[in-house]
Amino acid sequence: MKQGNLLIVHGGAPTAVINSSLYGAVTEAKKHPEVEKVLGAVGGTGGMLKEQFCDLSAVPEERLKLLLQTPASAIGTSRDALEPEHYAAMAEICRKHNIRWVLFNGGNGSMDACGKLFKACVAAGVDVRVVGIPKTVDNDIAVTDHAPGFGSAARFIAGITSEISQDVRSLPIHVSVIEAMGRNAGWVTAASALARTGNGDGPDLIYLPERPFIEEEFLEKVSDLRRKKGGVVVVASEGLTGPDGKPIVKPIFQVGRATYYGDVSAHLANLVIKKLGIKARSEKPGISNRASIAFQSETDRDEAVLVGAEAARAALAGENGVMVGLRRVPGPVYQVETFLIPVEQVMLYERKMPDEYISADGCDVTDAFVEWCRPLIGSPLRQFVSFKPTL
């Protein structure tokens, strides 16, 4: 049996459960005698190119288990702009360090890197098996039902929307606009709908990037809700665009695939203040939306461990150029199973919210979405009580 090292690389924005996938991959790899060392690229692809590796197989189990409750990436991640020569260099680094298996944990961009490294190793004649582990807050990876990272982000946005709704209901004098992650895909924004209990709490309006934002309609709806309820809760995607397809808030900075937008929530709150004369507040959780362990979904965590372990098993079984996916098992009880997806089917492809999950008026979601999303956030959200009448 030919022995070698297994390398794990993190790419893109970290999540509340990317370390859980790391835990699953490391613990599975350690079961296989052909794996000499389980290495982590310290700092993503940049760390790999600099040959900065840590030996994860030497970490004691009690410390390794802390990965399950550690946010972000314990080995570091990156968003390096990679060229063909970088992938050729990676292939040679694998040869130099006797790396026979590489696991890429990330989203669309990382799966693109996964596929390109796979091709570079084949072209260079380097015997390496490359397998992708899905990870994304935005839930925009193709083919798979969902990806680890999303469930915890969904729980976070639903949880804080529920809390803010209680505040607005208690003192109904203003409009609260919450900005959610999801530049081009509205999955996280849509998950705020899980905050609703049927007792008149928010969100009252949900604005997704899949639909054009029309300022006049927004102001009309807010004004009407303000008259009826007093306080209004709006959840809006960071990537809202107008009917012309341009962002409603101009990007502050843009280079390559990276775009830094101004605050959509602040923009909408200012519109309400200036044009309706109503007190308004903006909330932008930002990084906490993806990094909160307090809102980590146990379902999300367990599935992250599952796909990490399955990726290691697949690579060690000889699979190559694939990503682990999740699909639901039919039946009344939520269950998933893993399957392998050719990586070319997920490279840089963004899956957006389908029409059947978006309300006809474009500023809410359907019951079908809520039913699909609810199992992913894990245990029920904290329950609250109010003695005010339901509006």
Side-chain angles (χ1 to χ4, degrees), residues 226-250:
R226 175 71 166 75
R227 285 193 297 271
K228 293 176 180 177
K229 298 184 64 176
V232 182
V233 177
V234 179
V235 182
S237 164
E238 64 179 342
L240 290 186
T241 59
D244 59 359
K246 296 179 180 179
I248 64 170
V249 179
K250 291 183 179 180

Side-chain angles (χ1 to χ4, degrees), residues 71-155:
S73 169
I75 58 175
T77 181
S78 65
R79 273 188 169 140
D80 302 300
L82 300 175
E83 301 297 335
E85 59 267 25
H86 294 128
Y87 294 106
M90 288 181 193
E92 292 306 319
I93 288 169
C94 288
R95 193 198 307 270
K96 175 182 176 181
H97 291 274
N98 194 27
I99 295 169
R100 296 193 57 229
W101 307 276
V102 178
L103 308 181
F104 262 96
N105 193 352
N108 298 308
S110 297
M111 291 308 107
D112 183 63
C114 180
K116 288 176 178 175
L117 178 60
F118 158 61
K119 293 177 182 178
C121 289
V122 171
V126 182
D127 185 18
V128 179
R129 299 292 181 268
V130 186
V131 175
I133 304 172
K135 175 270 331 173
T136 176
V137 168
D138 295 334
N139 199 45
D140 58 354
I141 299 179
V143 187
T144 184
D145 178 81
H146 59 279
F150 170 68
S152 295
R155 183 176 182 84

Side-chain angles (χ1 to χ4, degrees), residues 44-281:
T45 53
M48 183 179 180
L49 286 166
K50 294 174 185 174
E51 301 176 53
Q52 296 176 341
F53 304 127
C54 60
D55 184 0
L56 296 169
S57 49
V59 178
E61 176 61 20
E62 63 270 18
R63 194 163 181 228
L64 202 63
K65 275 190 174 180
L66 292 176
L67 289 170
L68 299 172
Q69 62 187 52
T70 301
S73 169
I75 58 175
T77 181
S78 65
R79 273 188 169 140
D80 302 300
L82 300 175
E83 301 297 335
E85 59 267 25
H86 294 128
Y87 294 106
M90 288 181 193
E92 292 306 319
I93 288 169
C94 288
R95 193 198 307 270
K96 175 182 176 181
H97 291 274
N98 194 27
I99 295 169
R100 296 193 57 229
W101 307 276
V102 178
L103 308 181
F104 262 96
N105 193 352
N108 298 308
S110 297
M111 291 308 107
D112 183 63
C114 180
K116 288 176 178 175
L117 178 60
F118 158 61
K119 293 177 182 178
C121 289
V122 171
V126 182
D127 185 18
V128 179
R129 299 292 181 268
V130 186
V131 175
I133 304 172
K135 175 270 331 173
T136 176
V137 168
D138 295 334
N139 199 45
D140 58 354
I141 299 179
V143 187
T144 184
D145 178 81
H146 59 279
F150 170 68
S152 295
R155 183 176 182 84
F156 176 93
I157 199 68
I160 68 160
T161 300
S162 178
E163 293 171 352
I164 289 172
S165 293
Q166 295 303 312
D167 187 289
V168 171
R169 187 177 186 183
S170 299
L171 185 62
I173 62 172
H174 61 267
V175 176
S176 179
V177 185
I178 306 167
E179 183 172 335
M181 285 186 160
R183 188 178 308 144
N184 299 316
W187 299 94
V188 176
T189 307
S192 64
L194 275 71
R196 293 170 177 154
T197 65
N199 292 320
D201 43 7
D204 299 295
L205 297 168
I206 299 173
Y207 287 95
L208 310 170
E210 285 85 357
R211 293 290 183 270
F213 177 82
I214 301 173
E215 182 179 309
E216 295 77 12
E217 292 182 1
F218 164 72
L219 292 171
E220 184 179 341
K221 287 180 182 296
V222 167
S223 179
D224 184 53
L225 283 164
R226 175 71 166 75
R227 285 193 297 271
K228 293 176 180 177
K229 298 184 64 176
V232 182
V233 177
V234 179
V235 182
S237 164
E238 64 179 342
L240 290 186
T241 59
D244 59 359
K246 296 179 180 179
I248 64 170
V249 179
K250 291 183 179 180
I252 298 171
F253 180 72
Q254 189 168 7
V255 55
R257 292 182 65 231
T259 303
Y260 298 87
Y261 290 92
D263 291 350
V264 166
S265 54
H267 173 71
L268 296 183
N270 287 337
L271 283 177
V272 171
I273 295 169
K274 292 176 181 178
K275 299 200 172 185
L276 297 179
I278 299 171
K279 183 178 180 181
R281 292 178 178 271

